[in-house]
Amino acid sequence: MEWIDDLRRAFDRDVVVELARDLVRIPSENPPGDESEVAAYLVPVLERLGLRDVAVVTAAENRASVTGRSGTPGGRVLIWNGHTDVVPVGDAGAWRHEPFGGTVAEDRLWGRGAVDMKGAIASVLAGLVTIRRAGLELAGELALQFVADEETGGTLGTAHLLRDGLERADGAIVGEPTRLEAVVAAKGLLWLELRLRGVSAHASQPAQGTNAIEHLAVVLQALRGLELGAAGHPLVGRPTVTPTLVSGGTKANIVPDRCTLTIDCRLPPGQSPEEAVGAVRALLAGLARTHGVDASVTELASWEASEVDPGESIVEAVQDATAQVLGRRAPVAGMTGSTDARYLVNDARIPTVIFGPGSLEQAHTTDEWIAVEQLELGCLAYAATLCRFLGVR
Ligand SMILES: [Zn+2]
């Protein structure tokens, strides 16, 4: 791998930092969801880099993904997938640096999307610049997917590209922030809404009614003890059940006849959502008998878990590349959150590793940032992974 020295020599820190700043400065909050400006920025960048088949794929108005291909057709194909949407800023006044200012200070790039995940997009683009400046040419083909809509489920982004007829690929990278660890397993997500029904009454005579909020207290208590069957997963741990939203009642002096609770369940690979829904239903059936709880369950969302064999060649390519760039092989790891990798793994059957610069700890936070060093290492790690997996000539 003598090309690693060529890559190091060709590497230019300013390229990755400039790209990342530019991207952070383009708002793309989702919701409401509008990636068209980022797409308009990326298209000429990809064209300048000499990519082929550069296209904007629009699943709905303003919901734009960008695709393009680099390298040599006919050999191996690698997909690099990353989302261009970001979560909302929230209270902009609470930020130390302008959320869309792209400030570089204290060796960090600050702003919404810096770590999740415009920094990774800048890193892979700068990686391609580095490969070119090093005088190297990829022997296989890289298919770039800069997608819309990941933060609200990906149906208008990665899933849409898949429906659009995704080409064969031998491996894929999803560039979510993993501190450059090789994430091969991610939990699935299940959102359930529980509707509790009671009987209203004048609050001065509570015994005349059935209080749905008091029943909620019983349900919450029981959920804490709920054991979702599956044993823990070595990389992502046990399933979790977390109450996240609640609403109920009508008026201060009315015994409430309704109450709604939303719960967020995170399920390791191997545990089906059906099994989890069944466990919640069984728990409620038990409470109906013991406490007279009257509740129904509605499934609001269900995203599959994903897992690939750590022996897959894309995982090994990432590990070999990090050994060269960082001086240590990226450890195989798991992720508790959900990513677009599930579409690539479960629907398209493409061995996929989640691998990107920066830490998930700064994602979705006020004062989001990514260390400049992570951008630089991300750039070199991606460049080395591409050379490793696709070969050079
Ligand atoms: Zn993300």
Side-chain angles (χ1 to χ4, degrees):
M1 286 197 282
E2 67 287 352
W3 40 258
I4 190 71
D5 297 320
D6 298 331
L7 290 177
R8 281 190 197 284
R9 271 193 295 275
F11 172 70
D12 179 352
R13 163 190 195 278
D14 293 344
V15 173
V16 67
V17 175
E18 280 306 311
L19 281 164
R21 289 182 84 156
D22 284 354
L23 286 164
V24 167
R25 285 174 175 160
I26 306 170
S28 54
E29 287 168 289
N30 178 25
D34 180 349
E35 297 85 358
S36 55
E37 256 194 83
V38 192
Y41 171 85
L42 287 171
V43 167
V45 170
L46 297 190
E47 285 171 348
R48 273 200 302 278
L49 272 167
L51 269 78
R52 293 181 302 280
D53 306 332
V54 176
V56 176
V57 181
T58 310
E61 205 186 345
N62 297 328
R63 308 312 304 273
S65 300
V66 178
T67 57
R69 306 176 77 86
S70 181
T72 315
R76 262 182 157 182
V77 178
L78 172 67
I79 290 171
W80 191 97
N81 172 295
H83 64 88
T84 58
D85 59 326
V86 299
V87 293
V89 162
D91 176 10
W95 288 61
R96 284 171 58 198
H97 302 279
E98 266 249 42
F100 298 118
T103 306
V104 177
E106 303 161 64
D107 300 319
R108 295 169 174 176
L109 168 67
W110 300 80
R112 176 56 84 227
V115 74
D116 187 12
M117 52 172 286
K118 289 172 169 173
I121 292 174
S123 291
V124 74
L125 290 172
L128 286 177
V129 172
T130 309
I131 288 170
R132 214 154 82 147
R133 285 189 180 170
L136 301 168
E137 207 177 321
L138 296 172
E141 204 176 10
L142 171 70
L144 285 174
Q145 300 179 339
F146 299 129
V147 297
D149 196 39
E150 193 273 345
E151 295 291 359
T152 48
T155 45
L156 301 176
T158 299
H160 181 76
L161 290 185
L162 288 175
R163 275 195 303 275
D164 223 31
L166 187 80
E167 71 281 15
R168 171 194 72 82
D170 303 288
I173 294 172
V174 170
E176 295 280 357
T178 66
R179 288 182 300 197
L180 297 174
E181 294 185 352
V183 169
V184 296
K187 275 182 167 173
L189 166 157
L190 175 68
W191 285 340
L192 300 177
E193 186 177 81
L194 278 51
R195 288 178 169 276
L196 282 73
R197 283 170 300 266
V199 177
S200 63
H202 197 287
S204 67
Q205 296 178 317
Q208 300 297 316
T210 303
N211 192 320
I213 291 178
E214 285 184 352
H215 277 176
L216 172 68
V218 174
V219 170
L220 287 170
Q221 189 63 32
L223 282 172
R224 294 190 75 163
L226 179 66
E227 292 280 336
L228 293 180
H233 182 281
L235 295 175
V236 297
R238 293 191 50 79
T240 56
V241 179
T242 308
T244 50
L245 287 170
V246 66
S247 75
T250 311
K251 194 165 176 286
N253 57 359
I254 299 177
V255 171
D257 64 354
R258 73 189 73 122
C259 183
T260 305
L261 173 73
T262 303
I263 57 177
D264 172 298
C265 307
R266 301 296 171 132
L267 309 174
Q271 179 164 39
S272 75
E274 293 74 27
E275 191 188 326
V277 176
V280 172
R281 285 191 199 283
L283 174 136
L284 293 173
L287 295 178
R289 286 191 299 274
T290 55
H291 293 75
V293 169
D294 176 2
S296 60
V297 182
T298 311
E299 198 175 301
L300 299 180
S302 176
W303 302 353
E304 290 177 304
S306 65
E307 183 168 30
V308 301
D309 186 333
E312 289 288 352
S313 65
I314 183 58
V315 182
E316 286 181 349
V318 158
Q319 292 186 303
D320 292 342
T322 48
Q324 292 283 315
V325 171
L326 308 172
R328 58 147 180 92
R329 283 175 79 76
V332 164
M335 197 174 207
T336 51
S338 197
T339 77
D340 275 359
R342 69 187 184 279
Y343 296 119
L344 293 158
V345 173
N346 299 329
D347 299 342
R349 303 277 158 202
I350 299 168
T352 302
V353 61
I354 306 169
F355 174 68
S359 168
L360 205 57
E361 272 165 42
Q362 280 84 44
H364 301 198
T365 61
T366 299
D367 293 326
E368 179 177 344
W369 56 268
I370 186 169
V372 169
E373 189 191 26
Q374 281 287 301
L375 292 174
E376 297 169 4
L377 293 174
C379 167
L380 276 172
Y382 282 145
T385 302
L386 297 182
C387 292
R388 182 85 194 157
F389 188 78
L390 298 173
V392 289
R393 34 173 230 164

